[in-house]
Amino acid sequence: MINVIASIKIKEGQKNSFLDIFKANVPNVLAEKGCLEYIPTVDVDSGLPPQQQDSSVVTILEKWASLDDLKAHLVAPHMLAYREQVKELIVQSAIKVLTAA
């Protein structure tokens, strides 16, 4: 299994617009071969000292059956359209691709 943590920094005042576009695409992604989980998340104030909050970041939690499924996801037509829709809303993004140790 492949786990992905995508960290997307959104331009000020654009988080709701980004989330609307993202959530509209979730059913398309969940229908992809090998997609086990695809969830947008935002920071919650936990009061825990080590937490570093950033209200401008949306963190996407993903689980894929295989690396090949993840690679196919990245070039799926709905993902190309999604990236075009959100490109002006995003400051920067980064992903971590992980597997169990």
Side-chain angles (χ1 to χ4, degrees):
M1 182 182 330
I2 299 297
N3 297 285
V4 177
I5 301 171
S7 182
I8 304 171
K9 187 168 184 73
I10 309 300
K11 289 182 180 177
E12 187 174 335
Q14 297 299 318
K15 187 163 63 173
N16 288 339
S17 295
F18 172 83
L19 285 169
D20 288 344
I21 295 166
F22 185 93
K23 288 177 182 180
N25 194 38
V26 167
N28 297 323
V29 176
L30 291 174
E32 290 180 49
K33 177 185 174 292
C35 182
L36 307 172
E37 186 174 276
Y38 194 72
I39 303 169
T41 65
V42 294
D43 286 352
V44 61
D45 186 359
S46 68
L48 298 172
Q51 182 181 12
Q52 296 179 356
Q53 287 184 264
D54 187 340
S55 63
S56 67
V57 172
V58 175
T59 301
I60 313 305
L61 305 177
E62 306 177 34
K63 288 187 181 179
W64 295 90
S66 72
L67 188 54
D68 286 339
D69 292 331
L70 172 60
K71 288 178 179 180
H73 160 70
L74 296 175
V75 295
H78 57 269
M79 289 308 296
L80 299 176
Y82 154 80
R83 280 195 287 282
E84 188 64 28
Q85 288 179 297
V86 300
K87 70 180 181 183
E88 298 301 321
L89 306 177
I90 294 175
V91 175
Q92 68 183 39
S93 61
I95 66 168
K96 292 185 73 74
V97 180
L98 310 161
T99 194

